[in-house]
Amino acid sequence: MVSPFGGGHEQVVFCQDEQSGLKAIVAVWSTALGPGLGGTRFYPYADEHAALADVLALSRAMAYKASLAGLDLGGGKAVIIGDPRRDKSEARLRAYGRFVESLNGRYYTACDVGTFPEDMDVIARETSYVTGRTTAHGGAGDSSVLTAFGVFQGMRASAEFIWGTPSLSGRRVGVAGVGKVGRHLVGHLIEDGADVVVTDVDPRAVDAVQAAYPSVKAVADTASLVREPLDVYAPCALGGALDDETVAALSARIVCGGANNQLAHTGTEDLLSQREIVYAPDYCVNAGGLIQVADELDGFSFERAKARAERIYATTLDVLHRAKDEGVAPSTAADRIAEQRMREVGRLRGVWLP
């Protein structure tokens, strides 16, 4: 099948096990810097084409994310088609683990939407190429912790770029999606003195955030949130959050969130630029989770992983300044930095070592 994103993937594998009901797709964009590492998304896609489109886009983004974060990893991603609340089972996860094992280390899996560290423990019974396991099994645990921390660092850098200070104190930040990453991000923002307004499709997630942080305001939905007077908008749910209607409604000066693939189409960033809204590229600022689970491959140290995630501040600031100096969109500047590292460091993999 031809990729709708112009090709470029090293490997795309369709996985099916009729007895367990498993239907999955694994995509590896590049192994120039190392094995592809990316989470497994368990999601009720409308059909196989929708699942394929998602995994192709996500795996490419993971390659760029790993490169920009300075990791010796390539880009990969997997999707399992189904409703995790109804279809997830030990048999299905273990069948998936055997497919991951069959790739012989070209792809390492971890958590994503619909999967959790406990699921990685089950998958690990069939493959050694898994990370993001529970702390009880020596793993990194919930990767949303450092994902949120990294997004906060990217937001601080964006504030420094726009307002000359790396603080969100007194700024109004809208967070769309507070189930995992968004919930932790709210904590960092409140601690920094920000005024926070949130929304989520699950009212229980909103209730939990407001119970922990009573000053947080909630609105009915994302359409209402983007029409609020905001300084910063943080999309932290699924991709495609920045469509034409959303961009037109935004009052925020900064968009910086944890969701992957936030731009609805290739022209979205031009629309943001026309409205003088600074976009911190999602794969730049949300790399903290990847950094967290990647650290597990060397024996997990939270403090070491957090120190590396803290560098997202400097990386984001570099991306924004390069974009300004070169007269390009921030995502173009970020792509150039990532691609340069893939070329220069990836080239060394061709040097034979006895």
Side-chain angles (χ1 to χ4, degrees):
M1 184 176 293
V2 177
S3 165
F5 296 89
H9 286 78
E10 287 185 11
Q11 189 172 18
V12 180
V13 180
F14 289 75
C15 314
Q16 181 167 301
D17 179 65
E18 291 187 8
Q19 288 191 333
S20 68
L22 175 72
K23 289 186 177 180
I25 309 172
V26 179
V28 177
W29 170 265
S30 168
T31 56
L33 295 175
L37 171 59
T40 295
R41 179 165 294 190
F42 205 133
Y43 190 76
Y45 293 97
D47 53 41
E48 195 173 81
H49 292 284
L52 176 62
D54 202 27
V55 77
L56 292 176
L58 290 166
S59 56
R60 180 187 184 279
M62 289 304 297
Y64 281 69
K65 184 185 298 188
S67 178
L68 200 60
L71 300 174
D72 291 334
L73 292 167
K77 203 78 174 184
V79 295
I80 297 176
I81 302 171
D83 185 339
R85 294 169 296 183
R86 185 187 67 238
D87 301 325
K88 190 185 294 182
S89 67
E90 178 186 353
R92 193 168 297 197
L93 291 174
R94 291 183 70 159
Y96 169 68
R98 292 188 70 80
F99 279 111
V100 172
E101 181 70 17
S102 74
L103 296 176
N104 206 28
R106 287 180 53 78
Y107 169 67
Y108 278 77
T109 193
C111 304
D112 197 76
V113 174
T115 58
F116 301 89
E118 293 78 9
D119 299 323
M120 297 304 110
D121 287 344
V122 176
I123 291 168
R125 296 174 72 174
E126 300 294 339
T127 181
S128 58
Y129 304 117
V130 59
T131 184
R133 299 186 63 184
T134 61
T135 54
H137 286 84
D142 182 6
S143 63
S144 66
V145 173
L146 286 189
T147 301
F149 178 73
V151 171
F152 180 60
Q153 297 308 314
M155 202 177 287
R156 291 178 62 244
S158 302
E160 168 74 25
F161 181 77
I162 292 291
W163 298 304
T165 175
S167 173
L168 282 304
S169 180
R171 303 293 178 185
R172 198 157 194 257
V173 182
V175 182
V178 288
K180 279 188 177 182
V181 174
R183 175 170 55 87
H184 293 298
L185 178 60
V186 168
H188 291 299
L189 291 167
I190 293 295
E191 185 178 356
D192 199 36
D195 178 21
V196 180
V197 56
V198 305
T199 192
D200 197 288
V201 294
D202 186 349
R204 294 171 299 179
V206 173
D207 291 344
V209 166
Q210 290 187 307
Y213 309 103
S215 65
V216 170
K217 176 185 174 181
V219 295
D221 50 34
T222 301
S224 302
L225 180 64
V226 298
R227 286 167 175 78
E228 288 278 318
L230 302 174
D231 295 301
V232 182
Y233 174 51
C236 293
L238 295 177
L242 297 173
D243 56 22
D244 293 4
E245 185 178 353
T246 297
V247 173
L250 275 175
S251 59
R253 290 293 313 280
I254 294 168
V255 173
C256 178
N260 289 309
N261 298 325
Q262 293 171 21
L263 304 178
H265 58 79
T266 54
T268 302
E269 201 164 6
D270 290 335
L271 298 177
L272 289 166
S273 179
Q274 290 167 17
R275 299 211 55 227
E276 297 185 338
I277 299 171
V278 168
Y279 168 63
D282 47 53
Y283 77 77
C284 173
V285 302
N286 69 12
L290 176 62
I291 290 168
Q292 182 171 335
V293 297
D295 193 87
E296 187 179 317
L297 300 177
D298 296 318
F300 183 62
S301 163
F302 182 81
E303 291 307 316
R304 181 177 61 204
K306 184 178 180 181
R308 173 163 267 171
E310 200 164 4
R311 299 177 198 168
I312 290 173
Y313 174 90
T315 303
T316 305
L317 203 55
D318 182 29
V319 165
L320 296 179
H321 279 297
R322 286 199 187 196
K324 181 180 179 181
D325 293 344
E326 297 174 11
V328 298
S331 63
T332 300
D335 284 355
R336 288 175 178 176
I337 296 170
E339 288 165 357
Q340 180 179 357
R341 183 167 181 264
M342 286 188 218
R343 285 194 306 270
E344 294 180 353
V345 179
R347 178 191 63 79
L348 298 176
R349 297 300 174 102
V351 177
W352 184 78
L353 298 176

